[in-house]
């Protein structure tokens, strides 16, 4: 499931972040690339321990903790500290799959990457090209979102970033381990959660809402892992 999560950050948060990101020192993006992707990755990144990356990463994680759409869709267990990348003219990232397991730098913790996320810090009018192109079982999807919006997609997907031909594309990217590993099961739970909330709103006190909520939680008991 590919899901757009609008307005993860406010325009003020995006503007503040942009000032800090534009002033930061960027390094070659191959520092976090795996064996295959190192050959196709051409961009820049903030070092993981960069104070701007850590500060803005906390802003993003804090916003996500309070975002009902994100929580319902991702059922997050562990979220990797957000990283930041920048593509200027001629830079791109060829087709690859993200590494399945990632160690959180400086800690003994490893996470399984179930979902990948890209949060845009530049608007579509600021650069040409730079689309995130994701292949899933339903076809090929080209994604370019307003600043402050985020896309969530299964980490199992092949994906690439098309070359930027004008301006610069600045984004945050990270991975998360979900309580529900399987994308199909997670999508069913999200559909059910959405339907339950609609019933609760449109027909308050309908007894089926309680029953369906019970089914939802019992499915999480069956499928969830901590
Ligand atoms: Ni990737």
């Amino acid at each position: 499931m590919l899901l757009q999560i609008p307005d993860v950050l406010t325009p003020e948060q995006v503007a503040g972040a942009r000032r800090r990101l534009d002033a930061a020192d960027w390094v070659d993006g191959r520092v976090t690339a795996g064996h295959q992707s190192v050959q196709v990755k051409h961009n820049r990144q903030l070092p993981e321990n960069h104070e701007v990356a850590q500060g803005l990463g906390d802003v993003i994680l804090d916003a996500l903790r309070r975002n009902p759409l994100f929580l319902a869709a991702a059922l997050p267990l562990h979220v990797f500290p957000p990283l930041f990348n920048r593509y200027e003219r001629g830079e791109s990232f060829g087709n690859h799959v993200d590494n399945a397991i990632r160690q959180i730098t400086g800690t003994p913790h490893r996470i399984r990457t179930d979902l990948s996320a890209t949060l845009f810090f530049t608007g579509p009018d600021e650069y040409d090209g730079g689309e995130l192109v994701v292949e899933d079982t339903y076809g090929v999807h080209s994604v370019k979102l307003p600043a402050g919006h985020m896309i969530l997609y299964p980490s199992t997907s092949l994906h690439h970033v098309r070359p930027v031909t004008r301006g610069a594309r600045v984004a945050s990217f990270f991975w998360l381990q979900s309580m529900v590993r399987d994308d199909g099961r997670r999508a069913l739970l999200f559909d059910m959660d959405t339907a339950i909330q609609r019933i609760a709103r449109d027909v308050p006190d309908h007894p089926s809402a309680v029953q369906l909520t019970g089914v939802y939680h019992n499915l999480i008991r069956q499928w969830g892992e901590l």
Side-chain angles (χ1 to χ4, degrees), residues 170-190:
V170 180
S172 173
F173 66 104
F174 53 94
W175 306 272
L176 65 91
Q177 180 170 338
S178 175
M179 288 185 279
V180 176
R181 171 192 205 134
D182 181 73
D183 192 57
R185 288 178 173 176
R186 207 184 315 109
L188 282 174
L189 288 167
F190 179 54

Side-chain angles (χ1 to χ4, degrees), residues 37 93-94 96-99 116 132 153 157 159-161 173 175:
S37 57
F93 195 166
H96 65 279
V97 173
D98 295 341
N99 287 357
S116 300
L132 170 68
Y153 58 99
S157 335
H159 56 275
H160 64 273
V161 175
F173 66 104
W175 306 272

